[in-house]
Amino acid sequence: MSNNVTTNQAEQDKARNEAALVPPVDVVEDSTGITLYADLPGVAKEALHLRIEADTLTIEGELSIAAPEGMQATHADVALNRYRRVFTLSKELDTAKVSAELSGGVLRVRIPKAEHAQPRRIEVTVH
């Protein structure tokens, strides 16, 4: 995991106690920020909740997988109906500029680095 985002273990323990699935998340860092990809199959946009408080990002979502009409589930490998994952963000990230999109059951969260933490080119003058 990147130096700019870490899993908040206390929050993960709380999530387990509240009976929530912990979705797998990939974190990709580049020079301008980080991108998190969270697998959230069965979560509709309306049932997805992202929250940033101080340096903590919380991802929560409610599953809504309905059985086809006239059919009833006789077995379920996944008995829980919600996801929850919590991350601690570094101070280098600009949490005021977070963007998120959900597509095909994958949540993409982009958090840019603060301007002071981004690489910048310095022009050299010749006298």
Side-chain angles (χ1 to χ4, degrees), residues 1-122:
M1 197 151 313
S2 149
N3 289 336
N4 287 315
V5 63
T6 58
T7 298
N8 185 320
Q9 191 60 48
E11 287 292 328
Q12 295 305 336
D13 291 343
K14 180 181 175 186
R16 283 186 196 92
N17 292 337
E18 294 176 355
L21 296 168
V22 179
V25 175
D26 292 328
V27 179
V28 179
E29 181 175 4
D30 61 28
S31 62
T32 61
I34 63 167
T35 305
L36 287 84
Y37 297 93
D39 292 337
L40 301 168
V43 176
K45 177 183 179 262
E46 299 76 30
L48 182 61
H49 307 284
L50 274 69
R51 189 173 65 249
I52 292 183
E53 293 178 38
D55 63 347
T56 302
L57 167 66
T58 303
I59 300 171
E60 293 181 299
E62 298 287 328
L63 286 161
S64 59
I65 301 173
E69 188 175 326
M71 297 184 81
Q72 199 171 15
T74 58
H75 172 77
D77 283 334
V78 179
L80 301 174
N81 67 345
R82 62 188 208 108
Y83 290 102
R84 180 178 167 89
R85 186 90 187 247
V86 180
F87 298 92
T88 300
L89 306 174
S90 83
K91 301 293 184 203
E92 287 184 356
L93 299 173
D94 188 348
T95 57
K97 296 182 180 174
V98 175
S99 63
E101 63 183 52
L102 182 65
S103 177
V106 177
L107 173 66
R108 178 185 175 275
V109 179
R110 177 71 183 162
I111 309 172
K113 287 184 181 176
E115 196 167 316
H116 68 79
Q118 290 192 27
R120 61 187 171 101
R121 185 182 167 127
I122 298 172

